[in-house]
Amino acid sequence: PIYFVDYKCSRMDTVRASQELMKMKIRHKQLGCVADNKNQRRSFCMIATACVSHFGLNDNCYLLTVLRNFRDQDLLVTPEGTKLVNSYYDLAPNIIEKVNASPEASELWNEIYQQISSWVDLIERHETDAVVVRYQEYLSSLINRLFV
């Protein structure tokens, strides 16, 4: 079973990551990379699902299961985590579209897979603060590369 640390000790990191992601969301909406169609919201693991699908893995693979548990049991139980997930819902569909349209799509999916795998490793070691911070940093970097 997966156990998660009490987020009370990590609220500041989660709040900072959520605030930064909200700023990024506003900036990237201006650049045209935020999904306007709320029906495109499917799951926290949209990018991870697209990534594992690229490699022929199942939707119920271990990696996606760990990420979904993290979303449901850790992020969505706090207001800050919920904001982080909602921001992700707005950004993810267009990120997937841009990655797939890129001439370097295979390299990008490989890179994304490595990042996601490293987050799963952190979750397994109960380093949830680091997951939130590294996720936000990587997503910001990826958006800047794809949309700027």
Side-chain angles (χ1 to χ4, degrees), residues 101-120:
S102 170
E104 294 103 21
S106 273
E107 293 84 5
L108 285 167
W109 285 126
N110 281 324
E111 174 187 311
I112 291 167
Y113 184 84
Q114 293 302 317
Q115 287 293 319
I116 291 169
S117 295
S118 74
W119 301 335
V120 167

Side-chain angles (χ1 to χ4, degrees), residues 26-111:
I26 292 166
R27 178 171 171 252
H28 292 104
K29 186 170 188 173
Q30 294 168 342
L31 294 171
C33 70
V34 175
D36 291 323
N37 183 356
K38 299 298 182 200
N39 293 328
Q40 290 179 322
R41 294 177 172 198
R42 287 176 287 174
S43 83
F44 177 71
C45 302
M46 281 186 269
I47 294 173
T49 301
C51 183
V52 300
S53 176
H54 174 80
F55 293 104
L57 301 173
N58 292 326
D59 186 61
N60 63 349
C61 70
Y62 179 74
L63 185 110
L64 293 179
T65 300
V66 171
L67 291 173
R68 289 175 180 143
N69 285 339
F70 178 67
R71 174 201 60 203
D72 296 342
Q73 298 174 13
D74 201 37
L75 292 176
L76 291 178
V77 298
T78 67
E80 296 83 9
T82 301
K83 286 179 190 174
L84 197 68
V85 171
N86 287 336
S87 295
Y88 173 84
Y89 287 155
D90 288 335
L91 297 168
N94 287 351
I95 292 171
I96 294 167
E97 186 178 319
K98 282 283 194 179
V99 169
N100 285 332
S102 170
E104 294 103 21
S106 273
E107 293 84 5
L108 285 167
W109 285 126
N110 281 324
E111 174 187 311

